[in-house]
Amino acid sequence: MGERPALSLNMPPEECVNALEAMGLPRQMLEVMRRLVGQGIHPLQVLQIFQERKVLSEEKRQPMLESFDIDGIARYIKEKGCKRVVVMCGAGISTSAGIPDFRSPG
C-alpha cells in the first residue's frame, strides 16, 4: 500500500482531486470539485467551506460520559443498565502496554 500524498493548497488542483478520489471521496463530490476546479476554485477550499458549515450547523449535545477512562465507561454502563456492550478497537491498542505495533521498526 503506497503512502498518501500530503494535501495542501500548494498542490495542483487536479492532482488534489485525484488524491481525494484515491482516498475514497464520493463520486458526486469529485464531479462537483472538478467543475469548480474549472472555475479556478481549489478542492481544499471547497472542503474547508463544507467543514465550516458542518461545524456551525452542529448542535451542542450533553456529554454522555463523565470521563473517557474505564471508570467513566463502567459508571455509564451501571447507571444506564446496559445489557449489551460492543467494544471496537483499532490497531495499536496494546501499545500502551509496551507491545510494539506492526509499523514500528524492530
Side-chain angles (χ1 to χ4, degrees):
M1 192 178 339
E3 288 188 33
R4 291 183 178 161
L7 299 177
S8 77
L9 288 170
N10 296 327
M11 177 183 273
E14 192 55 45
E15 187 179 325
C16 185
V17 173
N18 292 337
L20 291 168
E21 182 175 26
M23 290 178 190
L25 206 67
R27 184 181 48 80
Q28 298 89 346
M29 178 74 97
L30 293 166
E31 290 171 4
V32 169
M33 287 190 172
R34 285 194 171 98
R35 276 197 308 271
L36 293 172
V37 164
Q39 298 173 17
I41 301 171
H42 197 281
L44 293 183
Q45 291 172 313
V46 176
L47 290 177
Q48 185 177 25
I49 291 167
F50 284 146
Q51 181 64 31
E52 288 169 359
R53 287 184 180 169
K54 180 183 174 193
V55 169
L56 293 175
S57 66
E58 289 180 355
E59 292 181 21
K60 197 75 166 164
R61 296 180 0 175
Q62 291 294 326
M64 296 176 76
L65 300 174
E66 291 178 27
S67 62
F68 291 103
D69 57 9
I70 194 71
D71 292 329
I73 296 167
R75 190 173 6 242
Y76 180 86
I77 290 170
K78 184 178 178 182
E79 288 173 2
K80 300 296 181 181
C82 299
K83 300 290 183 206
R84 297 180 182 158
V85 178
V86 176
V87 177
M88 299 174 72
C89 56
I93 192 162
S94 56
T95 56
S96 62
I99 301 169
D101 62 70
F102 68 93
R103 289 186 183 102
S104 299

